[in-house]
Amino acid sequence: MKIVKIAKSYLGVVEGTKKHHDIIDYYNTKIKPLPQGYKVKYTDSWCATFASVCMQKAEVNKAPYECSVPRMWDKAKKNKQTTKKPKAGYLIIYDWGANKSLDHVGIVEKVNGNNLTVIEGNYCDSVKRRNISALSDCIYGYIKIKEGE
């Protein structure tokens, strides 16, 4: 899975550094058309921007590019890409307050039973791994990803 390999290559990137700015600049110049016509700022939340850059670099078919997690989910839902079952390479969507307010997105790196390893941009202002149970009530769902050939 190219998307996982690409996400792993960004591990350790810290917000405010040149590598973080490179992620934002890549989104603003390579994602066409720019979703909502919005140019992401270096100070914006960037989890969806990070996921979009990884999808674009992995040549994902029908990628729900966005800088907004709720809009990313809506695009994926429209394309029938949403699921409740995790798989490595899929996007994971979080709802931290279990209040139907979609808050964060990451890329599933590994699934081991109910244990997930996820790579996320803007996790404590950097690209980091998170280990989480697939049974957690803060997981809203997953977006199925199909990479280009």
Side-chain angles (χ1 to χ4, degrees):
M1 288 160 287
K2 281 176 29 179
I3 192 168
V4 171
K5 185 176 180 182
I6 291 162
K8 285 167 78 170
S9 76
Y10 285 106
L11 284 167
V13 170
V14 176
E15 187 173 305
T17 63
K18 181 183 180 331
K19 288 185 179 181
H20 165 251
H21 291 182
D22 289 346
I23 292 167
I24 304 304
D25 293 344
Y26 188 96
Y27 178 91
N28 287 334
T29 60
K30 301 291 186 184
I31 306 290
K32 301 290 182 195
L34 201 56
Q36 304 295 310
Y38 181 76
K39 191 171 181 181
V40 177
K41 298 178 191 79
Y42 298 139
T43 54
D44 287 340
S45 294
W46 51 283
C47 61
T49 302
F50 171 74
S52 291
V53 166
C54 291
M55 285 189 291
Q56 203 276 342
K57 287 186 169 192
E59 301 172 331
V60 168
N61 295 323
K62 293 185 183 176
Y65 299 131
E66 260 302 340
C67 58
S68 156
V69 177
R71 286 196 304 261
M72 181 179 275
W73 180 262
D74 289 345
K75 283 181 177 182
K77 193 172 180 182
K78 191 181 228 181
N79 288 335
K80 300 184 182 346
Q81 295 170 289
T82 60
T83 183
K84 292 292 184 183
K85 185 174 165 115
K87 185 175 174 184
Y90 283 8
L91 302 185
I92 181 172
I93 304 295
Y94 298 101
D95 174 6
W96 296 129
N99 57 6
K100 305 244 189 289
S101 172
L102 308 185
D103 304 300
H104 192 62
V105 59
I107 298 165
V108 178
E109 178 183 15
K110 295 179 202 163
V111 178
N112 184 4
N114 285 323
N115 299 310
L116 307 177
T117 303
V118 182
I119 300 173
E120 304 168 13
N122 202 30
Y123 173 13
C124 296
D125 298 329
S126 62
V127 179
K128 290 186 176 181
R129 281 190 174 98
R130 178 189 309 272
N131 293 303
I132 190 166
S133 169
L135 305 176
S136 172
D137 62 357
C138 67
I139 297 173
Y140 189 79
Y142 305 89
I143 297 175
K144 298 182 261 186
I145 295 301
K146 184 174 180 190
E147 295 175 359
E149 302 297 310

